[in-house]
Amino acid sequence: MSKNAASNEPLIDIDDSNLHDQESGYTWEEFKRSWDVLQEDDSGSLQKAVASFHKKLKLKRKQNDNNLIQKGLVRYCYIILDCSSNTSERDLRPSRLELALQTLEAFVSEFFEQNPLGSLTSTDPSDINSTISDLINENIRVSIVEMSAEVFIFKKICTDTNGTFSVAINEAHFRELVLEFISPPPIFNANSDAHLITMGFATSIHDSTPTFCSCHFKLSLDGYLCPRCNSKVCSLPSNCDVCGLSLVSSPHLSRSYHHLFPTKAFKELVPPKESLSYCYSCMEPLSDSIKALNNQKPDASIPEELFQCPKCLNVFCLDCDLYIHETVHNCPGCV
């Protein structure tokens, strides 16, 4: 403690030497210099660094757990979109709202492709306090992707309902976080049991004269007949409005089957065998990757990992491995 002779007001001497020695500032002042990660090769090209970056992203996608965990077959997913004035901010291009709409457009298309028996709707919530209690009592999972700063109440809702809370750092990260919800999440409730669901395969019809459908009470020529009560519905999958039977088609069940029994993860070949020449799926040559992994070609580009199906023992490149597990859901060598 020191005193000023002119004003006799007490002043506090603060040792600020440590402040100047700190390498980082406040949290909101910190940023990552992504360009420092890129390293030029001997020829001055960044192609090898960019290829390595994309390869890390692919390997991250492959690290998803493919174990046989219990998942729901019929999903009910609600999307709640913030349309307040804050969504007009342009910290995410072209704006928060436009980015969300563009991402949801791709999400909806892929959601019904991977979850044909699911229901995807939107709603406006009421009082948030009563909503949180209802969510916990009904075992409803809530996940939120935030575009700005972390909000305590949002994170609490996700934590209490076994959901996930994430904050997007850029446009690509936001899209990645949203598309992660396409695959059904595991069931965390240990007391939940599997239940049989009665379903019917509706018959496609084309009438010569328009008839009323039971779902919209509109005249139409095409539709589907319920096998239980012969009521007409417009589209599948849906529930019969007369008898309540769930109406599906065989492709819907087959496209949902892979969530219950996913394709087994392929094993990485380390080191790969020289006898391998082509990827079994895309038929691309694997000789360059094998030589690079075995250090027989020092100037080779970033090598691709090679993966083998544990059942048919065929070998695939990384791109085909991801395509098989994310889109086809069946090993071409096994089928």
Side-chain angles (χ1 to χ4, degrees):
M1 185 77 69
S2 64
K3 293 185 178 180
N4 191 313
S7 60
N8 292 329
E9 294 179 356
L11 300 176
I12 300 178
D13 294 331
I14 300 178
D15 184 9
D16 58 353
S17 59
N18 293 331
L19 298 178
H20 299 286
D21 296 336
Q22 291 181 353
E23 297 180 357
S24 59
Y26 294 102
T27 303
W28 56 85
E29 295 176 343
E30 296 179 357
F31 63 94
K32 295 182 179 179
R33 298 163 56 95
S34 57
W35 53 87
D36 290 341
V37 181
L38 300 178
Q39 300 292 334
E40 297 181 354
D41 55 16
D42 297 336
S43 62
S45 175
L46 294 176
Q47 183 177 2
K48 187 175 181 179
V50 174
S52 177
F53 175 75
H54 286 290
K55 181 176 143 185
K56 290 180 180 179
L57 292 179
K58 293 178 182 179
L59 291 175
K60 181 180 178 182
R61 289 162 52 190
K62 180 175 170 54
Q63 290 174 356
N64 294 332
D65 188 9
N66 287 324
N67 294 331
L68 295 180
I69 56 178
Q70 185 178 3
K71 294 185 177 182
L73 181 63
V74 180
R75 299 180 64 189
Y76 296 92
C77 181
Y78 290 80
I79 296 179
I80 302 176
L81 182 62
D82 180 13
C83 296
S84 62
S85 58
N86 292 331
T87 57
S88 62
E89 296 290 338
R90 297 187 177 274
D91 51 347
L92 298 175
R93 297 295 182 180
S95 69
R96 294 181 182 178
L97 181 58
E98 293 180 13
L99 175 63
L101 293 177
Q102 293 174 3
T103 305
L104 289 178
E105 183 179 358
F107 175 84
V108 171
S109 176
E110 188 66 19
F111 179 88
F112 284 112
E113 178 68 24
Q114 301 293 335
N115 305 273
L117 300 183
S119 173
L120 182 62
T121 54
S122 60
T123 183
D124 292 326
S126 57
D127 178 42
I128 187 63
N129 295 319
S130 60
T131 301
I132 295 177
S133 300
D134 294 338
L135 293 173
I136 297 176
N137 294 333
E138 297 295 333
N139 293 324
I140 298 177
R141 182 185 287 106
V142 177
S143 298
I144 298 176
V145 178
E146 180 62 60
M147 286 184 165
S148 56
E150 179 179 307
V151 181
F152 171 76
I153 188 63
F154 291 166
K155 187 173 183 179
K156 176 176 172 49
I157 295 174
C158 298
T159 302
D160 293 345
T161 59
N162 290 325
T164 58
F165 178 83
S166 306
V167 178
I169 58 178
N170 52 38
E171 295 84 351
H173 188 221
F174 175 78
R175 179 182 177 87
E176 178 183 351
L177 292 175
V178 173
L179 297 184
E180 285 181 356
F181 297 112
I182 293 177
S183 179
I187 298 177
F188 292 105
N189 189 2
N191 297 325
S192 62
D193 298 326
H195 300 281
L196 297 178
I197 301 177
T198 304
M199 294 184 177
F201 294 96
T203 305
S204 176
I205 60 171
H206 180 78
D207 297 328
S208 57
T209 57
T211 56
F212 286 97
C213 66
S214 62
C215 47
H216 304 98
F217 299 103
K218 294 182 179 180
L219 291 172
S220 61
L221 294 175
D222 300 324
Y224 301 89
L225 287 182
C226 173
R228 176 183 290 175
C229 63
N230 289 329
S231 299
K232 181 180 177 181
V233 295
C234 295
S235 60
L236 298 177
S238 63
N239 293 328
C240 178
D241 292 276
V242 177
C243 64
L245 180 65
S246 297
L247 303 177
V248 297
S249 63
S250 55
H252 293 148
L253 287 179
S254 61
R255 283 156 52 191
S256 301
Y257 182 81
H258 63 266
H259 291 310
L260 298 179
F261 303 97
T263 305
K264 292 184 178 180
F266 294 170
K267 299 179 180 179
E268 182 177 0
L269 294 180
V270 181
K273 300 179 181 179
E274 284 290 345
S275 58
L276 302 175
S277 57
Y278 295 95
C279 170
Y280 183 82
S281 180
C282 65
M283 300 303 294
E284 287 292 328
L286 303 176
S287 57
D288 294 339
S289 297
I290 294 175
K291 291 180 180 179
L293 287 173
N294 289 334
N295 295 324
Q296 297 181 7
K297 191 175 181 181
D299 298 332
S301 58
I302 298 296
E304 285 283 356
E305 277 77 1
L306 305 180
F307 302 92
Q308 186 178 48
C309 175
K311 186 176 181 180
C312 66
L313 302 181
N314 289 310
V315 179
F316 304 87
C317 63
L318 177 59
D319 290 331
C320 290
D321 186 342
L322 293 175
Y323 183 72
I324 291 172
H325 288 87
E326 295 180 352
T327 304
V328 181
H329 304 291
N330 285 288
C331 174
C334 296
V335 298

